[in-house]
Amino acid sequence: MSRRRVLVAGAAGRMGERLCALLAEHPELELGTALERPGHAALGRELAPGVRLTESAVDAMASVAVAIVFANPAGSLELTRLAAKQGVPCVIGTTGFRPDEKKEIEALASRIPIVLAANFSVAVNVFFHLAREAGRLLGDGFDAEIVELHHAAKIDAPSGTALRIAEAIAEGRGTGRDRSFVLAREGETGARPAGSIGVLALRGGDNPGEHTALFLGHGERLELIHRSATRDHFARGALRAATWVLQHPPGLYDMEHVIGLRPA
Ligand code: NAD
């Protein structure tokens, strides 16, 4: 069996480092190219035999079967444009895209298969499913609030995962996100708007990510909690998505498709 060459973008970052390390668990894949932003101090470092950290995205994309991108939104979008031009399927883990950037990724997915997920953990995707069901089954009598905690270096808030949990609850309730999400509270806020979903972000330390969804009723509450102790389950999920995306036609997918919670 010939191994499929993988491009890892953001390869010297926290996620990139784990992706390169855990590629060893996939005999069908190999590190083809490791990409970093121009000027990065680690450029030229050998990450696997014969694979040095490079800044040359055009050359990098030309020689791989699939790209895995955990970088910043602008760089990730640029790489996805390049991948679409060269017909390379993509797995995108970067969070913090603006709505217009997400729209462009959606458009690029008409040319290549793309798995875009705010969270590649299998357990977190089951969390989305449970949150959707809780939204559907608990109905109007329960207020939904989401609290997330991440390491001090995270640059976007609230987390993409917290927003995805809120979307799942809204989907379950049959309501849209625009009217109902409350991302900050300060001063005289007035009473909580009925049907709203609060999303609050805590930052500090080195925590890779914790999410709690609270469904607050009268005299009772339901909590769903996911806690990450390392980043490895995100990396393992992204590598599973890379194998999956190679077998699918152009289109925009998420991790719920990859693990079979939604039909592809
Ligand atoms: P990080 O800052 O440690 O790593 C990002 C790396 O990308 C850096 O090394 C940076 O130099 C590099 N980079 C920036 N622009 C680039 C470009 N144009 N080309 C190539 N490389 C470039 O961050 P991290 O903790 O690894 O997270 C990266 C992203 O992944 C963030 O958006 C984070 O929120 C997200 N994330 C997603 C998941 C998930 O499961 N979807 C899990 C963890 C983190």
Side-chain angles (χ1 to χ4, degrees):
M1 177 183 59
S2 73
R3 301 205 290 172
R4 312 301 298 274
R5 289 162 59 83
V6 180
L7 179 155
V8 174
R14 284 175 289 259
M15 280 301 300
E17 192 265 322
R18 296 315 299 149
L19 285 160
C20 292
L22 294 172
L23 260 167
E25 294 180 355
H26 283 262
E28 75 283 14
L29 301 176
E30 67 178 332
L31 185 63
T33 307
L35 193 65
E36 257 300 338
R37 65 176 162 73
H40 194 284
L43 287 175
R45 186 194 295 162
E46 192 169 32
L47 298 188
V51 182
R52 291 186 185 280
L53 201 54
T54 177
E55 60 180 341
S56 172
V58 177
D59 294 348
M61 204 63 80
S63 63
V64 294
V66 58
I68 306 180
V69 182
F70 283 73
N72 62 357
S76 302
L77 185 56
E78 195 52 49
L79 286 170
T80 312
R81 287 188 194 120
L82 197 60
K85 219 182 222 173
Q86 305 203 15
V88 176
C90 282
V91 171
I92 306 173
T94 308
T95 62
F97 288 110
R98 295 188 312 263
D100 60 303
E101 292 174 324
K102 269 200 179 155
K103 273 228 156 73
E104 187 175 345
I105 292 174
E106 215 174 299
L108 293 169
S110 65
R111 291 152 66 187
I112 50 169
I114 297 176
V115 181
L116 172 68
N119 196 308
F120 278 93
S121 150
V122 172
V124 165
N125 282 273
V126 172
F127 190 145
F128 297 150
H129 173 73
L130 296 173
R132 192 179 298 114
E133 284 301 288
R136 183 173 74 83
L137 294 167
L138 294 175
D140 291 342
F142 285 77
D143 296 324
E145 294 280 312
I146 296 156
V147 184
E148 57 102 331
L149 167 61
H150 279 86
H151 57 90
K154 185 164 173 64
I155 59 168
D156 55 321
S159 71
T161 302
L163 290 171
R164 187 71 199 98
I165 294 167
E167 279 167 10
I169 296 168
E171 283 163 21
R173 288 175 171 174
T175 58
R177 65 166 280 174
D178 292 344
R179 275 181 308 120
S180 61
F181 289 11
V182 176
L183 304 185
R185 292 190 182 100
E186 192 189 3
E188 279 194 36
T189 58
R192 189 182 194 286
S196 61
I197 301 175
V199 188
L200 299 177
L202 312 181
R203 291 289 174 270
D206 63 354
N207 195 309
E210 293 187 12
H211 294 86
T212 303
L214 302 100
F215 297 88
L216 303 158
H218 295 279
E220 60 176 342
R221 81 174 188 236
L222 172 68
E223 292 184 16
L224 301 173
I225 304 174
H226 178 270
R227 295 192 179 99
S228 296
T230 75
R231 292 181 174 79
D232 286 8
H233 49 290
F234 304 132
R236 286 199 172 95
L239 290 165
R240 178 170 165 181
T243 303
W244 185 93
V245 80
L246 279 164
Q247 294 155 17
H248 284 80
L252 187 63
Y253 307 100
D254 65 24
M255 196 57 187
E256 288 186 71
H257 293 112
V258 175
I259 65 175
L261 276 170
R262 289 174 196 256

